[in-house]
């Protein structure tokens, strides 16, 4: 009996010992897992930590694959977009000359005819000139001779000095002077030397679309009503033909020329109104940036810098702005009053102020400012 009790006690002691060892091993594994977890967090934070990280940086990181896709698609479809702009614009001009101009000459008074002919052709010339100059003019690139170039930073992709306001275009794969953005509708970057052409094209194209929308509103209403009447008469004609016993098709109510005329007027008004809304919003946005003396890229940079300095109780000042009016004069290249006519209201291929490599005080600006800072 005692031997059995001893054996039972020995077995119980062995079982308790095993349980204790199991607990120790379990605690040891849990401790090791916690250590690995904290070590992994430390490694991740050491690699990814950035004191400037915020929601914008996180969103940019998440959308990086989309940006890569857009860059490569834009690179290959730029020619298609340019052809689309030329094709749509040419179709509107053809409709105006073929369909609307004869009607204007027959129904309008001589004064209104002179107004439409003068304004319409002036607007068309300005659109064609500025679009051609925007797509054919190089935005400007830093020179290849790196020894003579004074840069405020180094481009991480070109591994070369980068002047102030210069940014690298991932689509063109080059640094662009005073880069604003890469425009697929131009198949070209918008930079120092063609920024004025780009904005002028947007402005005059918007003005032309608004002009066509307002001038063609009554024609659009009549054409739309005529198309609805065509559809109704076509339905009635088919019903009458189905109830007849003979096989002769009734003659059409409207001729092909009438149908083409009404549909062309509707197409012109819808396209011009849509472009006026979309391109008008873009034009207002760029006009706001020009008034502030900054580009689209600098707007995001300045916003972050303004928020950073605001937390420190400081005020951010854009070193490239001279005031709204002076910014517009500098952007348009207006050095004297007559330039508003010769350089703004008429086609002008004059170059912008400066070379895009340095940003000294222009002669047309009298306001003094603080020394330039790198953006």
């Amino acid at each position: 009996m005692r031997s059995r009790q001893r054996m039972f006690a020995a077995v119980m002691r062995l079982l308790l010992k095993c349980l204790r060892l199991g607990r120790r091993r379990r605690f040891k594994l849990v401790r090791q897992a916690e250590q690995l977890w904290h070590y992994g967090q430390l490694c991740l934070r050491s690699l990814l930590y950035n004191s400037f990280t915020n929601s914008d940086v996180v969103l940019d990181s998440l959308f990086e694959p989309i940006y890569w896709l857009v860059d490569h698609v834009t690179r290959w479809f730029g020619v298609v977009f340019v052809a689309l702009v030329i094709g749509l614009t040419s179709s509107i001009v053809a409709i105006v000359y073929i369909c609307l101009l004869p009607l204007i000459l027959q129904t309008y008074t001589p004064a209104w005819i002179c107004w439409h002919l003068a304004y319409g052709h002036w607007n068309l010339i300005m659109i064609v000139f500025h679009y051609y100059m925007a797509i054919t003019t190089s935005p400007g690139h830093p020179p290849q001779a790196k020894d003579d170039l004074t840069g405020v930073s180094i481009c991480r992709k070109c591994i070369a000095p980068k002047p102030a306001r210069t940014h690298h275009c991932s689509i063109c794969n080059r640094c662009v002077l005073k880069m604003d953005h890469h425009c697929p509708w131009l198949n070209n970057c918008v930079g120092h030397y063609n920024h004025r052409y780009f904005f002028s094209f947007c402005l005059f194209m918007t003005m032309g679309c608004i002009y066509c929308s307002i001038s063609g509103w009554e024609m659009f209403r009549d054409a739309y009503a005529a198309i609805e009447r065509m559809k109704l008469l076509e339905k009635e004609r088919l019903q009458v033909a189905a109830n007849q016993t003979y096989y002769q098709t009734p003659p059409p109510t409207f001729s092909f020329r009438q149908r083409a005329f009404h549909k062309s007027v509707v197409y012109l008004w819808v396209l011009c109104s849509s472009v006026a809304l979309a391109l008008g919003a873009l034009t207002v946005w760029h006009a706001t940036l020009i008034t502030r003396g900054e580009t689209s890229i600098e707007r995001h940079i300045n916003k972050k810098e303004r928020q950073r300095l605001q937390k420190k109780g400081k005020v951010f000042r854009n070193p490239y702005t001279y005031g709204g009016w002076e910014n517009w004069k500098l952007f348009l290249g207006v050095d004297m009053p007559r330039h508003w006519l010769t350089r703004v209201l008429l086609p002008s291929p004059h170059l912008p102020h400066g070379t895009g490599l340095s940003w000294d005080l222009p002669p047309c600006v009298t306001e003094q400012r603080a020394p330039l800072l790198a953006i």
Side-chain angles (χ1 to χ4, degrees), residues 93-108 113 116-117 121 219 261:
V93 174
I95 291 173
V96 170
Y97 275 102
I98 297 174
C99 299
L100 301 186
L101 188 58
L103 188 62
I104 290 174
L105 294 176
Q106 293 175 4
T107 57
Y108 283 27
I113 291 176
H116 284 291
L117 290 177
H121 286 89
M219 296 181 185
F261 174 83

Side-chain angles (χ1 to χ4, degrees), residues 51-215:
S51 59
F52 296 101
T53 300
N54 52 23
S55 59
D56 294 336
V57 176
V58 174
L59 287 176
D60 289 343
S61 301
L62 292 176
F63 280 93
E64 189 63 30
I66 300 177
Y67 296 152
W68 180 89
L69 181 63
V70 170
D71 289 345
H72 286 73
V73 170
T74 305
R75 181 181 303 173
W76 293 107
F77 282 89
V79 178
V80 177
F81 290 148
V82 171
L84 189 62
V85 171
I86 296 175
L88 292 177
T89 306
S90 300
S91 66
I92 295 299
V93 174
I95 291 173
V96 170
Y97 275 102
I98 297 174
C99 299
L100 301 186
L101 188 58
L103 188 62
I104 290 174
L105 294 176
Q106 293 175 4
T107 57
Y108 283 27
T109 61
W112 276 110
I113 291 176
C114 293
W115 154 252
H116 284 291
L117 290 177
Y119 179 82
H121 286 89
W122 170 78
N123 204 339
L124 178 62
I125 291 172
M126 298 298 285
I127 290 172
V128 173
F129 170 79
H130 287 102
Y131 187 69
Y132 174 78
M133 295 299 293
I135 62 177
T136 56
T137 302
S138 173
H141 306 283
Q144 298 296 325
K146 302 177 182 179
D147 296 337
D148 301 333
L149 180 61
T150 302
V152 298
S153 62
I154 300 296
C155 179
R156 293 180 298 176
K157 297 183 179 180
C158 295
I159 316 298
K162 188 167 64 172
R165 311 187 81 178
T166 299
H167 299 278
H168 187 90
C169 177
S170 57
I171 299 175
C172 299
N173 199 23
R174 294 187 66 181
C175 283
V176 178
L177 300 176
K178 192 193 170 188
M179 180 180 176
D180 188 271
H181 68 287
H182 184 96
C183 182
W185 301 102
L186 302 179
N187 194 27
N188 195 9
C189 270
V190 177
H192 179 63
Y193 288 103
N194 64 347
H195 194 180
R196 179 178 65 88
Y197 297 132
F198 164 77
F199 177 79
S200 298
F201 164 72
C202 293
L203 177 62
F204 289 112
M205 178 64 82
T206 302
M207 291 171 56
C209 290
I210 293 175
Y211 163 73
C212 290
S213 299
I214 295 176
S215 301

Side-chain angles (χ1 to χ4, degrees), residues 336-347:
M336 51 190 68
R338 64 182 178 87
H339 286 166
W340 289 105
L341 173 63
T342 59
R343 293 187 174 184
V344 179
L345 298 180
L346 294 176

